[in-house]
Amino acid sequence: MNKIFSYFLIALLLVACGSSKKVTTKKRKSSPKVIVKTTPKVETPKEKEVVVEVIKPNTPEVYANKTEEYIAIYSDIAQDEMRNYGIPASITLAQGILESASGQGRLSVEANNHFGIKCHGWTGAKIYHDDDASQECFRKYKNSKYSFRDHSLFLKERKRYSVLFTLEKDDYKNWAIELRKAGYATDRKYPEKLISLIERYQLHRFDAEVLGKATANNDKHIVVKGDTLYSLSKKYNISVSELKSLNGLETNDLFVGQVLYVKPIPKDF
């Protein structure tokens, strides 16, 4: 009996030891899978080159002086009046330059009156200005071209100027003299002033063009970079002083694009 009990105790001890040695293993948690999504590379289209055309504003003409500018603006009108009424364009331009101070005088600026024509029964707009007497009445025009037309009619329709139209259309000297004699101006030096302007700025070239006596386009030169009066004088066989006189230049300065007359018009056309 004691033996059996001993065996029983030993068996219990073995079972107890076995249970104490049992190791509980924990299941390792697996690391979460990291899914990396790759976005396919999309090539962006190259930007098209845009060519922008830069349009430069028109460069205003530059003139040697106000008289040159006046001639450039009104020479075409003066030539049209010559064709229509037989008054030399040179005379019309010289009178306009003299009477309007090259377009800078009050009458021309405020009344578009380039020839100092007084009212004399005029029923249109008027302006009052000190002249031979205080606050005399002068004609006022909507546009300068009407002043040129009225100048033509003023001479053509008055008998005292009739002798003018017996003269040759290119005889600017006698036109200037007869204007003074007919009473157009009181200034004794009026003819000399007109003639001086005509010859200084070669205004008779416009008469020659109307009469078909002017030379072709080879009498002009358009200034390019590097041009000087000296180089042009050599090129066209003309002196610097003649070039300046022909174009009414007061200095030796030139600018690109400037149109110069390079061949004098013969005095006898």
Side-chain angles (χ1 to χ4, degrees):
M1 219 33 210
N2 289 331
K3 231 177 202 182
I4 293 169
F5 183 76
S6 297
Y7 284 129
F8 181 74
L9 289 173
I10 291 169
L12 287 173
L13 287 170
L14 288 171
V15 171
C17 289
S19 62
S20 64
K21 288 181 180 179
K22 188 177 181 179
V23 178
T24 303
T25 59
K26 292 184 179 179
K27 192 175 183 180
R28 283 187 180 182
K29 290 182 180 180
S30 59
S31 300
K33 288 184 178 180
V34 178
I35 300 174
V36 179
K37 291 184 178 180
T38 58
T39 304
K41 188 176 181 182
V42 179
E43 291 186 3
T44 56
K46 292 182 179 179
E47 291 185 1
K48 293 182 179 180
E49 291 185 0
V50 179
V51 178
V52 179
E53 183 180 358
V54 179
I55 301 176
K56 295 182 179 180
N58 291 330
T59 304
E61 293 283 352
V62 180
Y63 299 95
N65 51 54
K66 288 296 181 181
T67 302
E68 282 288 322
E69 183 177 12
Y70 186 92
I71 295 166
I73 294 171
Y74 297 109
S75 57
D76 286 346
I77 297 176
Q79 287 182 307
D80 284 341
E81 295 305 308
M82 180 176 179
R83 293 184 186 99
N84 292 326
Y85 294 96
I87 302 165
S90 59
I91 287 291
T92 300
L93 284 170
Q95 284 190 282
I97 292 167
L98 188 59
E99 300 288 347
S100 74
S102 298
Q104 304 302 299
R106 177 174 176 256
L107 289 178
S108 59
V109 172
E110 297 182 19
N112 290 314
N113 188 333
H114 288 246
F115 301 92
I117 299 179
K118 297 178 182 178
C119 289
H120 300 301
W122 175 255
T123 58
K126 303 175 178 67
I127 186 173
Y128 294 89
H129 179 73
D130 292 345
D131 191 53
D132 296 326
S134 175
Q135 292 298 288
E136 290 190 270
C137 181
F138 289 85
R139 301 182 182 191
K140 186 175 183 178
Y141 307 94
K142 291 181 180 179
N143 189 291
S144 294
K145 66 181 180 180
Y146 299 124
S147 176
F148 280 76
R149 175 54 51 88
D150 203 26
H151 169 264
S152 297
L153 294 173
F154 188 84
L155 296 181
K156 189 73 174 178
E157 294 177 351
R158 284 165 172 73
K159 289 183 179 180
R160 61 176 173 157
Y161 297 114
S162 60
V163 68
L164 293 169
F165 297 92
T166 66
L167 303 171
E168 295 294 329
K169 292 182 178 65
D170 52 15
D171 187 4
Y172 63 87
K173 289 184 179 179
N174 278 318
W175 269 81
I177 292 168
E178 292 301 327
L179 269 171
R180 165 69 173 74
K181 285 183 179 179
Y184 190 93
T186 56
D187 184 356
R188 291 182 180 179
K189 293 185 178 180
Y190 193 74
E192 288 84 350
K193 290 178 180 179
L194 293 182
I195 293 168
S196 175
L197 284 169
I198 290 169
E199 295 183 346
R200 178 180 180 184
Y201 292 99
Q202 298 287 295
L203 301 182
H204 48 71
R205 67 181 185 260
F206 299 111
D207 302 338
E209 287 177 7
V210 172
L211 297 173
K213 297 180 180 180
T215 54
N217 292 331
N218 60 358
D219 65 344
K220 298 178 183 178
H221 174 87
I222 299 175
V223 175
V224 298
K225 187 176 180 180
D227 279 347
T228 64
L229 287 178
Y230 179 76
S231 67
L232 295 178
S233 71
K234 295 298 181 184
K235 181 176 181 177
Y236 294 102
N237 193 29
I238 184 174
S239 69
V240 170
S241 60
E242 283 179 308
L243 270 176
K244 292 176 72 172
S245 174
L246 188 62
N247 293 280
L249 301 178
E250 296 179 351
T251 70
N252 292 340
D253 298 331
L254 300 177
F255 56 87
V256 174
Q258 183 176 7
V259 178
L260 296 178
Y261 288 89
V262 293
K263 290 186 177 180
I265 297 173
K267 292 293 183 181
D268 57 359
F269 294 169

